[in-house]
Amino acid sequence: MQFIDLKAQYSRLKSDIDSRIQAVLDHGRYILGPEVAELETRLAERTGSKHCIGCASGTDALLLAMMALEIGPGDEVITSPFTFFATGEMIALLGAVPVFVDIDPETYNIDPSKIEAAITPRTKAIMPVSLYGQCADFDPINVIAAKHGLAVIEDAAQSFGGTYKGRESGSLSTIGCTSFFPSKPLGCYGDGGALFTNDDNLVDRMQLLRNHGQDRRYHHVAIGINGRLDTIQAAVLLAKLDVFDSELEARQRAAAAYQEQLKDVVQTPVVREGYTSPYAQYTIEVDERDAVQQALQQAGIPTAVHYPVPLHLQPIFASMHLGEGAFPHSEQAGKRVLSLPMHPYLEAGQIDQVAKAVRQAIADVTTVTK
């Protein structure tokens, strides 16, 4: 069994993907070719954003967003400690300071009620993470940001295709950033990402910065990066975008089947009313996770842990002197979360197999620990 079955997806889309890639090989515009512009238009339309800027990765999207907002040394960016490392990494890379706020233990997203207390005169932005696919609670976050004159950057690396109160992830803040890493709900065949904004000045700035800060060939008006999206990756994404809605529906069905079979034995994902999730991961919580994970491995069920060590406990951030107990909900989640196989091509029998194995593993571990 595959944790994420990209081969099954390719089998379905082979002719479309191959013809899209062949078109790029035929015209030879491998950097910022016409497929990039086509993709940007379609993604902007899908999200309801005025602008979309394709870039080289979700990590670069976060970096470019903060560069466009002129975040730098001494500035502070409020974010969640329970996320992939890139969220805090890009803040620190610019010389800014990540200021962590604990999560809501039910959704795993930043707790809006704790944000305002973390704001200082050095705060420049709030960067909520829409983890596992469910959007953070943006209405109160945006209200707090407006009150204090702050930008909001959505780390939507896992939530593209999700919605919040009828609005698409990526369009919920000053700048939305997403990833097209192959395992994402919409993924390419390498690294890729995108930024979304309604701000005309910010889009000009981000387009400049993703291409070495040049406003025309060999004329550089800013220090930028090589953050361009490859044309071949855009071509792959265009082929996948044609079936994305049907894949989202398949993910919803798989999640519902998991929920029905596991709700009485483990803590299953909570998607709140008014939200939809693309289920970038289907993440449960279990006691004795290592034993459960080992039992599932022996049963042939692949699993993953997203993420075992919160950012404030990573060695590189030790100088912040935020030890165990600083963010208890994030720390507790890091010890208990376990992600199960999730992709649009899961068959009913496979879901039954996973659920049966989880139930058996929980029963066995419970017996041993009694």
Side-chain angles (χ1 to χ4, degrees), residues 86-142:
T87 308
E89 180 184 30
M90 291 302 98
I91 296 169
L93 187 67
L94 290 172
V97 178
V99 174
F100 300 123
V101 168
D102 209 358
I103 59 171
D104 178 326
E106 191 174 73
T107 66
Y108 307 110
N109 290 329
I110 194 168
D111 185 341
S113 70
K114 293 181 168 66
I115 289 175
E116 197 155 21
I119 294 173
T120 77
R122 294 182 296 278
T123 306
K124 290 290 289 288
I126 305 169
M127 188 184 289
V129 181
S130 296
L131 201 68
Y132 300 153
Q134 182 169 201
C135 296
D137 191 359
F138 275 91
D139 282 354
I141 294 171
N142 287 331

Side-chain angles (χ1 to χ4, degrees), residues 260-296:
E260 184 61 30
Q261 297 192 51
L262 294 175
K263 63 185 178 183
D264 59 338
V265 292
V266 298
Q267 182 172 323
T268 54
V270 174
V271 177
R272 289 184 171 159
E273 186 176 354
Y275 297 66
T276 66
S277 174
Y279 290 100
Q281 283 84 31
Y282 187 87
T283 302
I284 61 175
E285 279 194 37
V286 297
D287 297 321
E288 305 293 336
R289 181 181 62 202
D290 291 348
V292 172
Q293 191 171 28
Q294 184 176 7
L296 291 174

Side-chain angles (χ1 to χ4, degrees), residues 280-348:
Q281 283 84 31
Y282 187 87
T283 302
I284 61 175
E285 279 194 37
V286 297
D287 297 321
E288 305 293 336
R289 181 181 62 202
D290 291 348
V292 172
Q293 191 171 28
Q294 184 176 7
L296 291 174
Q297 183 179 8
Q298 291 172 350
I301 307 299
T303 60
V305 177
H306 305 103
Y307 300 93
V309 182
L311 299 193
H312 68 289
L313 299 180
Q314 293 291 344
I316 192 62
F317 291 131
S319 61
M320 298 177 71
H321 304 294
L322 296 168
E324 289 272 0
F327 304 104
H329 293 314
S330 297
E331 293 163 22
Q332 180 76 348
K335 295 171 183 174
R336 291 175 49 83
V337 293
L338 184 67
S339 297
L340 303 178
M342 170 53 75
H343 56 82
Y345 302 94
L346 274 173
E347 299 174 357

